[in-house]
Each structure stands twice: as structure tokens, then as C-alpha cells.
Amino acid sequence: MGRSSVFDPSRLDEELDELLPPPSRVPVAVLQDEPPTVAEAAGAPTSGSGPVPDSAAPAAADSVEDGPTPDSPDRPPHPAQPAVATATRRPRGSGGRPPAQERAPAESPSNTPAVGGFIVVAARIPTQLWDAVINGPLSGRERPSYAQLITWTCQDQPDDVVRQIRANLAPDRTPRGRRLAAPVNTITVRFRHDELSAFDELIESASIAGQRVTRTAGIIAALQVSSATSTASS
Amino acid sequence: MGLQYAEPIEPVREVRPGLDVIPGGPLLSVLAAAAATTGVSLADNLRETLSDLCAREDYGLVLIDSGPGDATILDALLATARYLVVPSSDDSASLEGVELLATRYLRARKAGAQVELLGVVLFNANIRATTRNQLVLESIDQMLEGSGATRFTSIIRSDKAAAIDLRALSLTPKELVGAAAGARKSRLSALRSGHSPTGERLWSRDPAGLATDYQELSRELLRRIAERERVGV
């Protein structure tokens, strides 16, 4: 599954012309006027098929094979020989996050995927809650990640979070039989190891009579508390 | 005609409130061959006609839905568009298609195009296959390294029944949610009263999930465009 960084502009000087036949037209001139805002989508999401290898470049399509290859951090790997992901890969430039070596090592529980030093926990939360969070505590231009928001809420209002978890898990008359689907949003919460440990500890303490509290329940409760606090303070 | 002869484009107006559509038409498939023989610059024509159209109609956003196969048209679009969104399915052929598109994208930029990659979105995926999706998303992350773009967090789920209904009824996913609920009600009431259900049969039972996916993607897409535009101001 290893893939090379094919969108990396540093490929421009090294390999690009070898991969594609020359363009059918003369090179495009730089736009003189401000172009209209155009988002170009290659392949319709509704069409049921994704980008497929282009018949105009059969040589390139044929040359793409899977398999690890030695990779140097100074030189981007050749797309025909995808490199395996290593610890030396370059940061993806996402929003000022510290480089990988400064982050906590990925020591994740075996059932949770760890990506780049973070432990990713996916949770489905009601769309209404998601809207409240996005328009509440996460509405600023500079905003924390989901994991930070949840961790801070658990640190600042642990009692409220535990109370909310217990309230959510209290027996009610929601039918367990056939139910209509409700709109939900899937969020991926990227915890650091210490954040997840503290979070797991808190949700365990919310358990009553050995009832298991899932991380999803904890995430939903923390976001509800955070969103309610944000509404109350605004 | 707009691409080949730079003739003014006439959109189909108000297919939904605030939305005009320009259908590609069957001649689009032969356009590339015609352009190659006549030496027409599709990019120049497209830029000119699109620029006129936007000035005339005062559009806020133009979305171009292109097929992945036609390289000549794709190059013209890359030379014209401001942003690029790449949908990919979870199979290796799709991911290899993304790699090829990446090469075309970089070459267009090298030639002076202003197109910027907004991200790659995983679609037509089984959202319950979490482990498989995680591997595919990691592959996409690896492909995007060094590009300055990240993948979209939204995933468009696979829903064949909804896809059939959407095409057959020309509805948006959001509209299909209401239509499916209405159809279910009338079907049940017909069965209750001992009659055979009438009217058009819908295959989808609950397209709410798919509609949510698209809404989430739209929100994310618009947010990314707004961020880029803000930076560009």
C-alpha cells in the first residue's frame, strides 16, 4: 500500500517529463487576469468511479508497480517505485504541528490505529452535536483540534463529563428494535498518548456496575459539555 | 462549442435555486480529436468563454465535473481552474489514476497554470470497512506529502441504491431523503389498505447517511476555498 509523494512539486525538475508524453498544445501562458474561482473536480463523486489510469499515458500506467524501494530523504522517491513510509518522511505542512520527532511516540492500544505519533479514534456523533461544536467552541479562526477540545474539557470539567456520560447511558425508552437512521457525522479524534490515557481513565471512572463506557460515549459527552459551556459563556 | 470555437455558453438556468448547469453533451468526447487536428487551444477558449460567462452571470463559484480519461480536456481544465479536488475510490486502479493526475497537475503548474490542489477525497467507500479505509487514507496521505494539501476528512460512502435513484429521478442526495421517506409512507399506507403500491419505486431506504456525507464534504470544500481565497486577498 506504500505510495510516493506524487503531488510534491520537487518532482518537477527530476522526473516529470519522463512520465508523460509531451503536451498536445504549447505550454499554457500565465493568466493575465484574475481567473474566476473555479473548483475542478476530476471525476464526479456521484458517477461511481474514480480516476482511472489514462489511456494517453500507457507507459506511465504500466510502470506503476507496488514494492518497497530504498529511499533517500533528500530525493523524492520515483513514483514508479513507491517507497515504504519511514520515520524520515517530510512533514505534510499541516497547520504548524510540531515535526514528527518532537511528538510523543505512537504507543497505541492494539485496537486503535496510530498515525504519525497520534492515536486516531473515530467516533460517530449526532450531526446536531457536530454543528453545535463547529459553531461553538471550534468556530474561531484559530481553533484546537477535537482531541485538544475533549482533553481540555475532561481536565477542566471532569465531574460534568462523568455526569453527562452517566446521563447519556441511563436507561431510557429508546427502542432497541428497528430504528430509523439519524444523521451522524464521523469525526476522527487524534489523541496524543498521554491525552488518550487520561481520557480512558476518566471514562472508566464513569462506569457504573461494570457497565462498559465506550470512547464514543466519552467523546460525545465531552463535546456536549464543551458545547454547553461555550453556549453559556457567549 | 464553447471549448472548440469559444462561442458564448448558455447555461440551463436555475435547475435549483441559485444553481445553473452547463451540460457537457455528446460532442465532448470527440472534441479532443478535433482540437488535435485543428490546432485549437481548448484552454484559451475555455478561459475566454468562462470569463465572459462569469462576468455576465456574476457566479460565485464554478464547479467543473470532469472525467479522468480525456487527457486533452483535462490539461485544458487544469490550465483554467483555480482549484483541484481529486476524488478517489479505494481500489489500486483509482489510486494509480490519482498518481497520473498528479503528474498532469504538476506539469500544468510548471507551464504556468494557477491551479492549486485542495485535496483528495475518498468516495464510493464502505464506511464500515474501517481498517481498509484507514490503509487507503494512509496511502492518500503519503501521496499528498509535500503538496501543502491534505485529504478531505469527509468520506463519501458507497450506496448503490441511492445512486440509482439519484440518477433516475435527477435528485440531489438531500432531496432523495425526503423522497424516500414519502415513498415509504405511501407504500405502507397502500399495503395497509390492501392495494398494490403505485408510483415510481425507490430502491433506497435511508439515504440520510449519503446526504450527510455530501453536506459535510461541501462544507469542508467551501471552507478550504474560503481559506485559500482569504490568503490570496
Coordinates of all heavy atoms in Angstrom, one line a residue, chain A residues 52-139:
Chain A
V52 N -9.1 6.9 -13.3 CA -8.5 5.6 -13.7 C -7.3 5.9 -14.5 O -7.2 7.0 -15.0 CB -9.5 4.8 -14.5 CG1 -10.6 4.3 -13.6 CG2 -10.0 5.5 -15.7
P53 N -6.4 5.0 -14.7 CA -5.2 5.3 -15.5 C -5.6 5.8 -16.9 O -6.6 5.3 -17.5 CB -4.5 3.9 -15.6 CG -5.0 3.2 -14.3 CD -6.4 3.7 -14.1
D54 N -4.9 6.8 -17.3 CA -5.2 7.5 -18.5 C -4.7 6.7 -19.7 O -3.5 6.4 -19.8 CB -4.5 8.9 -18.4 CG -4.9 9.8 -19.4 OD1 -5.4 9.3 -20.5 OD2 -4.6 11.0 -19.2
S55 N -5.5 6.6 -20.7 CA -5.0 5.9 -21.9 C -4.0 6.6 -22.7 O -3.2 6.1 -23.4 CB -6.2 5.6 -22.8 OG -6.8 6.8 -23.2
A56 N -3.9 8.0 -22.4 CA -2.9 8.8 -23.1 C -1.5 8.5 -22.6 O -0.5 9.0 -23.2 CB -3.2 10.2 -23.0
A57 N -1.4 7.9 -21.4 CA -0.1 7.7 -20.8 C 0.1 6.2 -20.4 O 0.3 5.9 -19.3 CB 0.1 8.6 -19.6
P58 N 0.0 5.3 -21.4 CA 0.1 3.9 -21.0 C 1.5 3.6 -20.4 O 1.5 2.7 -19.5 CB -0.1 3.2 -22.4 CG 0.2 4.2 -23.4 CD -0.1 5.5 -22.8
A59 N 2.5 4.2 -20.9 CA 3.8 3.9 -20.3 C 3.9 4.2 -18.9 O 4.4 3.3 -18.1 CB 4.9 4.7 -21.1
A60 N 3.3 5.3 -18.5 CA 3.3 5.6 -17.0 C 2.5 4.7 -16.3 O 2.8 4.2 -15.2 CB 2.8 7.0 -16.9
A61 N 1.3 4.3 -16.8 CA 0.4 3.4 -16.1 C 1.1 2.1 -15.9 O 1.0 1.4 -14.9 CB -0.9 3.2 -16.9
D62 N 1.8 1.6 -16.9 CA 2.4 0.3 -16.9 C 3.6 0.3 -15.9 O 3.9 -0.7 -15.3 CB 2.9 -0.1 -18.2 CG 1.8 -0.4 -19.2 OD1 0.7 -0.6 -18.7 OD2 2.0 -0.4 -20.4
S63 N 4.2 1.5 -15.7 CA 5.4 1.5 -14.9 C 5.1 1.5 -13.4 O 5.9 1.4 -12.6 CB 6.2 2.7 -15.2 OG 5.5 3.9 -14.9
V64 N 3.8 1.7 -13.0 CA 3.4 1.8 -11.6 C 3.3 0.4 -11.0 O 2.4 -0.3 -11.4 CB 2.1 2.6 -11.4 CG1 1.7 2.6 -10.0 CG2 2.3 4.0 -12.0
E65 N 4.3 0.1 -10.2 CA 4.2 -1.2 -9.6 C 4.4 -1.1 -8.1 O 5.0 -0.2 -7.6 CB 5.4 -2.1 -10.1 CG 5.2 -2.5 -11.6 CD 6.5 -3.1 -12.1 OE1 7.4 -3.3 -11.3 OE2 6.5 -3.3 -13.3
D66 N 3.8 -2.0 -7.3 CA 4.0 -1.9 -5.9 C 5.3 -2.6 -5.5 O 5.8 -3.4 -6.2 CB 2.8 -2.6 -5.2 CG 1.6 -1.7 -5.2 OD1 1.8 -0.5 -5.2 OD2 0.5 -2.3 -5.2
G67 N 5.8 -2.1 -4.4 CA 7.0 -2.8 -3.9 C 7.9 -1.7 -3.3 O 8.0 -0.6 -3.8
P68 N 8.5 -2.0 -2.1 CA 9.4 -1.1 -1.5 C 10.7 -0.8 -2.3 O 11.1 -1.7 -3.0 CB 9.7 -1.7 -0.1 CG 9.5 -3.2 -0.4 CD 8.5 -3.3 -1.5
T69 N 11.2 0.3 -2.1 CA 12.5 0.7 -2.7 C 13.3 1.5 -1.8 O 12.7 2.3 -1.0 CB 12.2 1.4 -4.1 OG1 13.4 1.6 -4.7 CG2 11.5 2.7 -3.8
P70 N 14.6 1.5 -1.8 CA 15.4 2.3 -1.0 C 15.1 3.8 -1.2 O 14.9 4.2 -2.4 CB 16.8 2.0 -1.3 CG 16.8 0.7 -2.0 CD 15.4 0.6 -2.6
D71 N 14.9 4.6 -0.2 CA 14.5 6.0 -0.4 C 15.5 6.9 0.4 O 15.9 6.6 1.5 CB 13.1 6.1 0.2 CG 12.5 7.5 -0.1 OD1 13.0 8.1 -1.0 OD2 11.6 7.8 0.6
S72 N 15.8 8.0 -0.2 CA 16.7 8.9 0.5 C 15.8 10.1 0.8 O 15.0 10.6 0.1 CB 17.8 9.4 -0.5 OG 18.2 10.7 -0.2
P73 N 16.0 10.7 2.0 CA 15.1 11.8 2.4 C 15.4 13.1 1.6 O 14.6 13.9 1.5 CB 15.5 12.1 3.9 CG 16.8 11.3 4.1 CD 16.9 10.3 3.1
D74 N 16.5 13.1 0.9 CA 16.8 14.3 0.1 C 16.2 14.3 -1.2 O 16.0 15.3 -1.9 CB 18.4 14.4 -0.1 CG 19.1 14.6 1.3 OD1 18.4 15.2 2.2 OD2 20.2 14.1 1.4
R75 N 15.9 13.1 -1.7 CA 15.4 13.0 -3.0 C 14.0 12.2 -3.0 O 13.9 11.2 -2.4 CB 16.3 12.1 -3.8 CG 16.0 12.2 -5.3 CD 17.0 11.6 -6.2 NE 16.4 11.5 -7.5 CZ 16.6 10.5 -8.3 NH1 17.4 9.5 -8.0 NH2 16.0 10.5 -9.5
P76 N 13.0 12.9 -3.6 CA 11.7 12.2 -3.5 C 11.7 10.9 -4.3 O 12.4 10.8 -5.3 CB 10.8 13.2 -4.2 CG 11.6 14.1 -5.0 CD 13.0 14.1 -4.3
P77 N 11.0 9.9 -3.8 CA 11.1 8.6 -4.5 C 10.4 8.7 -5.8 O 9.5 9.5 -6.1 CB 10.3 7.7 -3.5 CG 9.4 8.6 -2.7 CD 10.2 9.9 -2.6
H78 N 10.8 7.8 -6.7 CA 10.3 7.7 -8.0 C 8.9 7.1 -7.9 O 8.7 6.1 -7.3 CB 11.2 6.9 -8.9 CG 10.8 7.0 -10.4 ND1 9.7 6.4 -10.9 CD2 11.5 7.7 -11.4 CE1 9.7 6.7 -12.2 NE2 10.7 7.5 -12.5
P79 N 7.9 7.7 -8.6 CA 6.5 7.2 -8.4 C 6.4 5.8 -9.0 O 5.5 5.1 -8.6 CB 5.7 8.2 -9.2 CG 6.6 8.9 -10.1 CD 7.9 8.9 -9.5
A80 N 7.2 5.4 -9.9 CA 7.1 4.0 -10.4 C 7.6 3.0 -9.4 O 7.4 1.9 -9.5 CB 8.0 3.9 -11.7
Q81 N 8.3 3.5 -8.3 CA 8.8 2.6 -7.3 C 8.4 3.2 -6.0 O 9.2 3.8 -5.3 CB 10.3 2.5 -7.4 CG 10.7 1.9 -8.7 CD 12.2 2.0 -8.9 OE1 12.8 3.0 -8.5 NE2 12.8 1.0 -9.4
P82 N 7.1 3.0 -5.6 CA 6.6 3.7 -4.4 C 7.5 3.3 -3.2 O 7.9 2.1 -3.0 CB 5.2 3.1 -4.2 CG 4.8 2.6 -5.5 CD 6.1 2.2 -6.2
A83 N 7.8 4.3 -2.3 CA 8.6 4.0 -1.2 C 7.8 3.6 0.0 O 6.6 3.9 0.1 CB 9.4 5.3 -0.8
V84 N 8.3 2.8 0.9 CA 7.6 2.5 2.1 C 7.7 3.7 3.0 O 8.6 4.5 3.0 CB 8.2 1.3 2.8 CG1 8.0 0.0 2.1 CG2 9.7 1.5 3.1
A85 N 6.7 3.9 3.8 CA 6.6 5.0 4.8 C 7.7 4.8 5.8 O 7.8 3.8 6.4 CB 5.3 5.1 5.4
T86 N 8.5 5.8 6.0 CA 9.6 5.7 7.0 C 9.5 6.9 8.0 O 8.8 7.8 7.7 CB 11.0 5.7 6.4 OG1 11.2 7.0 5.8 CG2 11.1 4.7 5.3
A87 N 10.2 6.8 9.1 CA 10.2 7.9 10.0 C 10.8 9.2 9.5 O 10.6 10.2 10.1 CB 10.9 7.5 11.3
T88 N 11.6 9.1 8.4 CA 12.2 10.3 7.9 C 11.4 11.0 6.9 O 11.9 12.0 6.3 CB 13.6 9.8 7.2 OG1 13.2 8.9 6.2 CG2 14.5 9.3 8.2
R89 N 10.2 10.6 6.7 CA 9.4 11.3 5.6 C 9.1 12.8 6.1 O 9.0 13.1 7.2 CB 8.1 10.6 5.3 CG 7.1 10.6 6.4 CD 6.0 9.7 6.0 NE 4.8 10.0 6.9 CZ 3.8 9.3 6.9 NH1 3.7 8.2 6.2 NH2 2.8 9.6 7.8
R90 N 9.0 13.6 5.1 CA 8.8 15.0 5.3 C 7.5 15.4 5.9 O 6.5 14.7 5.6 CB 9.0 15.8 4.0 CG 10.4 16.0 3.7 CD 10.6 16.3 2.2 NE 10.0 15.2 1.5 CZ 10.1 15.1 0.2 NH1 10.6 16.0 -0.5 NH2 9.6 14.0 -0.4
P91 N 7.4 16.4 6.8 CA 6.1 16.8 7.3 C 5.2 17.2 6.2 O 5.6 17.8 5.2 CB 6.4 17.9 8.3 CG 7.8 18.4 8.0 CD 8.5 17.2 7.3
R92 N 3.9 17.1 6.4 CA 2.9 17.4 5.4 C 2.5 18.9 5.5 O 1.6 19.3 4.8 CB 1.7 16.5 5.5 CG 2.0 15.1 5.1 CD 0.8 14.3 4.9 NE 0.0 14.1 6.2 CZ 0.3 13.2 7.0 NH1 1.2 12.3 6.8 NH2 -0.5 13.1 8.1
G93 N 3.1 19.6 6.4 CA 2.8 21.0 6.4 C 1.4 21.3 6.9 O 0.7 22.2 6.3
S94 N 0.9 20.6 7.9 CA -0.5 20.8 8.3 C -0.6 21.6 9.6 O -0.5 21.1 10.7 CB -1.2 19.5 8.5 OG -0.4 18.6 9.2
G95 N -0.7 22.9 9.3 CA -1.1 23.8 10.4 C -0.1 23.9 11.6 O -0.6 24.1 12.7
G96 N 1.2 24.0 11.4 CA 2.1 24.3 12.4 C 2.2 23.2 13.5 O 2.6 23.5 14.6
R97 N 1.8 22.0 13.2 CA 2.0 20.9 14.1 C 3.5 20.7 14.2 O 4.2 20.8 13.3 CB 1.3 19.6 13.6 CG -0.1 19.7 13.8 CD -0.8 18.3 13.6 NE 0.1 17.3 13.1 CZ -0.3 16.5 12.1 NH1 -1.4 16.6 11.6 NH2 0.6 15.6 11.7
P98 N 4.0 20.3 15.4 CA 5.4 20.0 15.6 C 5.8 18.8 14.7 O 5.0 18.0 14.4 CB 5.6 19.7 17.1 CG 4.2 19.3 17.5 CD 3.2 20.0 16.7
P99 N 7.1 18.8 14.2 CA 7.6 17.7 13.4 C 7.5 16.4 14.2 O 7.4 16.4 15.4 CB 9.0 18.1 13.1 CG 9.4 19.3 13.9 CD 8.1 19.9 14.4
A100 N 7.5 15.3 13.4 CA 7.2 14.0 14.0 C 8.1 13.6 15.1 O 7.6 13.0 16.1 CB 7.3 13.0 12.9
Q101 N 9.4 14.0 15.0 CA 10.3 13.6 16.0 C 10.0 14.2 17.4 O 10.5 13.7 18.4 CB 11.8 13.8 15.6 CG 12.2 15.2 15.4 CD 12.0 15.5 13.9 OE1 11.1 14.9 13.2 NE2 12.7 16.5 13.4
E102 N 9.3 15.4 17.4 CA 9.1 16.1 18.7 C 7.8 15.5 19.3 O 7.5 15.8 20.5 CB 8.9 17.6 18.4 CG 10.2 18.2 18.1 CD 10.0 19.7 17.8 OE1 9.0 20.3 18.2 OE2 10.8 20.3 17.0
R103 N 7.0 14.8 18.5 CA 5.7 14.3 19.1 C 5.9 13.1 19.9 O 7.0 12.4 19.8 CB 4.8 14.1 18.0 CG 4.2 15.4 17.4 CD 3.1 15.1 16.5 NE 3.4 15.6 15.1 CZ 3.3 14.8 14.1 NH1 2.8 13.6 14.2 NH2 3.6 15.3 12.9
A104 N 4.9 12.7 20.7 CA 5.0 11.5 21.5 C 5.1 10.3 20.6 O 4.5 10.3 19.6 CB 3.8 11.5 22.4
P105 N 5.8 9.3 21.0 CA 5.9 8.1 20.2 C 4.5 7.4 20.2 O 3.7 7.5 21.1 CB 6.9 7.2 21.0 CG 6.9 7.7 22.4 CD 6.6 9.2 22.3
A106 N 4.3 6.7 19.1 CA 3.0 6.1 19.0 C 3.0 4.7 19.7 O 3.4 3.7 19.2 CB 2.7 5.9 17.5
E107 N 2.5 4.8 20.9 CA 2.3 3.5 21.7 C 0.8 3.3 21.9 O 0.2 3.8 22.8 CB 3.0 3.6 23.0 CG 4.5 3.7 22.9 CD 5.1 4.1 24.3 OE1 4.4 4.0 25.3 OE2 6.3 4.4 24.3
S108 N 0.2 2.8 20.9 CA -1.2 2.8 20.9 C -1.7 1.4 21.4 O -1.1 0.4 21.2 CB -1.8 3.0 19.5 OG -1.3 2.1 18.6
P109 N -2.9 1.4 21.9 CA -3.6 0.1 22.1 C -3.7 -0.6 20.8 O -3.8 0.0 19.8 CB -4.9 0.5 22.7 CG -4.8 1.9 23.1 CD -3.8 2.5 22.3
S110 N -3.7 -1.9 20.9 CA -3.7 -2.7 19.7 C -4.9 -2.5 18.8 O -4.9 -2.7 17.6 CB -3.5 -4.2 20.0 OG -4.6 -4.6 20.8
N111 N -6.0 -2.1 19.4 CA -7.2 -1.9 18.6 C -7.4 -0.5 18.1 O -8.4 -0.2 17.5 CB -8.4 -2.3 19.4 CG -8.6 -1.4 20.7 OD1 -7.6 -0.8 21.0 ND2 -9.7 -1.5 21.3
T112 N -6.4 0.3 18.2 CA -6.6 1.7 17.8 C -5.5 2.1 16.8 O -4.3 1.9 17.1 CB -6.5 2.7 18.9 OG1 -7.4 2.2 20.0 CG2 -6.9 4.1 18.5
P113 N -5.8 2.6 15.6 CA -4.7 2.9 14.7 C -3.9 4.1 15.1 O -4.5 5.1 15.5 CB -5.5 3.2 13.4 CG -6.9 3.5 13.8 CD -7.1 2.8 15.1
A114 N -2.6 4.0 15.1 CA -1.8 5.1 15.4 C -1.2 5.7 14.2 O -0.6 4.9 13.3 CB -0.7 4.6 16.4
V115 N -1.3 7.0 14.0 CA -0.8 7.6 12.8 C 0.1 8.7 13.1 O -0.3 9.7 13.8 CB -1.9 8.1 11.9 CG1 -1.4 8.8 10.6 CG2 -2.9 7.0 11.5
G116 N 1.4 8.6 12.8 CA 2.3 9.7 13.0 C 2.4 10.2 14.4 O 2.4 11.4 14.7
G117 N 2.4 9.3 15.4 CA 2.6 9.7 16.8 C 1.2 10.0 17.4 O 1.2 10.2 18.6
F118 N 0.2 10.0 16.7 CA -1.2 10.2 17.2 C -1.9 8.9 17.2 O -1.7 8.1 16.4 CB -1.9 11.3 16.4 CG -1.4 12.7 16.6 CD1 -0.4 13.2 15.7 CD2 -1.9 13.5 17.6 CE1 0.1 14.4 15.9 CE2 -1.4 14.8 17.7 CZ -0.4 15.3 16.9
I119 N -2.8 8.8 18.1 CA -3.7 7.7 18.2 C -5.1 8.1 17.7 O -5.7 9.0 18.3 CB -3.8 7.1 19.6 CG1 -2.4 6.6 20.0 CG2 -4.7 5.9 19.6 CD1 -2.2 6.6 21.5
V120 N -5.5 7.6 16.6 CA -6.7 8.0 16.0 C -7.9 7.3 16.5 O -7.9 6.0 16.5 CB -6.6 7.9 14.4 CG1 -7.9 8.4 13.8 CG2 -5.4 8.6 13.9
V121 N -8.9 8.0 17.0 CA -10.1 7.3 17.5 C -11.2 7.9 16.6 O -11.5 9.1 16.6 CB -10.4 7.6 19.0 CG1 -11.7 7.0 19.4 CG2 -9.2 7.1 19.8
A122 N -11.9 7.1 15.9 CA -13.0 7.5 15.1 C -14.3 7.4 15.9 O -14.5 6.4 16.6 CB -13.1 6.7 13.8
A123 N -15.2 8.4 15.8 CA -16.4 8.3 16.6 C -17.5 8.9 15.7 O -17.3 9.9 15.0 CB -16.3 9.0 17.9
R124 N -18.7 8.3 15.8 CA -19.8 8.9 15.1 C -20.7 9.7 16.1 O -21.1 9.1 17.1 CB -20.7 7.8 14.5 CG -19.9 7.0 13.4 CD -20.7 6.4 12.4 NE -21.7 5.5 12.9 CZ -22.6 4.9 12.1 NH1 -22.6 5.2 10.8 NH2 -23.4 4.0 12.6
I125 N -20.8 11.0 15.8 CA -21.6 11.8 16.8 C -22.8 12.4 16.0 O -22.7 12.5 14.8 CB -20.7 12.9 17.3 CG1 -20.3 13.9 16.2 CG2 -19.4 12.4 18.0 CD1 -19.6 15.2 16.7
P126 N -23.8 12.7 16.8 CA -25.0 13.2 16.1 C -24.7 14.5 15.3 O -23.9 15.3 15.8 CB -26.0 13.5 17.2 CG -25.5 12.7 18.4 CD -24.0 12.5 18.2
T127 N -25.3 14.7 14.2 CA -25.0 15.9 13.4 C -25.3 17.2 14.1 O -24.6 18.2 14.0 CB -25.8 15.8 12.1 OG1 -25.3 14.7 11.4 CG2 -25.5 17.0 11.2
Q128 N -26.3 17.1 14.9 CA -26.7 18.3 15.7 C -25.6 18.7 16.7 O -25.3 19.9 16.8 CB -28.0 18.0 16.5 CG -28.8 19.2 16.8 CD -30.1 18.8 17.5 OE1 -30.4 17.6 17.8 NE2 -30.9 19.8 17.9
L129 N -25.0 17.7 17.3 CA -23.9 18.0 18.2 C -22.7 18.5 17.4 O -22.0 19.5 17.9 CB -23.5 16.7 19.0 CG -22.3 16.8 19.9 CD1 -22.5 17.9 21.0 CD2 -22.0 15.4 20.5
W130 N -22.4 17.9 16.3 CA -21.3 18.3 15.5 C -21.5 19.8 15.1 O -20.5 20.6 15.2 CB -21.2 17.4 14.2 CG -20.0 17.7 13.4 CD1 -18.8 17.2 13.5 CD2 -20.0 18.5 12.2 NE1 -18.0 17.7 12.5 CE2 -18.7 18.5 11.7 CE3 -21.0 19.3 11.5 CZ2 -18.3 19.2 10.6 CZ3 -20.6 20.0 10.4 CH2 -19.2 20.0 9.9
D131 N -22.7 20.1 14.7 CA -23.0 21.5 14.3 C -22.7 22.5 15.5 O -22.1 23.5 15.3 CB -24.4 21.7 13.8 CG -24.6 21.3 12.4 OD1 -23.6 21.4 11.6 OD2 -25.7 20.9 12.0
A132 N -23.2 22.0 16.7 CA -23.0 22.9 17.9 C -21.6 23.1 18.2 O -21.2 24.2 18.6 CB -23.8 22.2 19.0
V133 N -20.8 22.0 18.0 CA -19.3 22.1 18.3 C -18.6 23.0 17.3 O -17.8 23.9 17.6 CB -18.7 20.7 18.4 CG1 -17.2 20.8 18.5 CG2 -19.2 19.9 19.5
I134 N -19.0 22.8 16.0 CA -18.3 23.6 15.0 C -18.7 25.1 15.1 O -17.8 25.9 14.9 CB -18.7 23.0 13.6 CG1 -18.1 21.6 13.4 CG2 -18.3 24.0 12.5 CD1 -16.6 21.6 13.3
N135 N -19.9 25.3 15.4 CA -20.4 26.7 15.5 C -20.1 27.3 16.9 O -20.4 28.5 17.1 CB -21.9 26.8 15.1 CG -22.1 26.5 13.7 OD1 -21.3 26.8 12.8 ND2 -23.1 25.7 13.4
G136 N -19.7 26.5 17.8 CA -19.5 26.9 19.2 C -18.0 27.0 19.5 O -17.3 27.9 19.0
P137 N -17.5 26.0 20.2 CA -16.1 26.1 20.7 C -15.1 26.0 19.5 O -13.9 26.5 19.7 CB -15.9 24.9 21.6 CG -17.1 24.0 21.4 CD -18.2 24.9 20.9
L138 N -15.5 25.5 18.4 CA -14.5 25.4 17.3 C -14.8 26.4 16.2 O -14.4 26.3 15.0 CB -14.5 24.0 16.7 CG -14.1 22.9 17.6 CD1 -14.0 21.6 16.8 CD2 -12.7 23.1 18.2
S139 N -15.5 27.5 16.5 CA -15.8 28.4 15.4 C -14.8 29.5 15.2 O -14.9 30.2 14.2 CB -17.2 29.1 15.8 OG -17.0 29.8 17.0

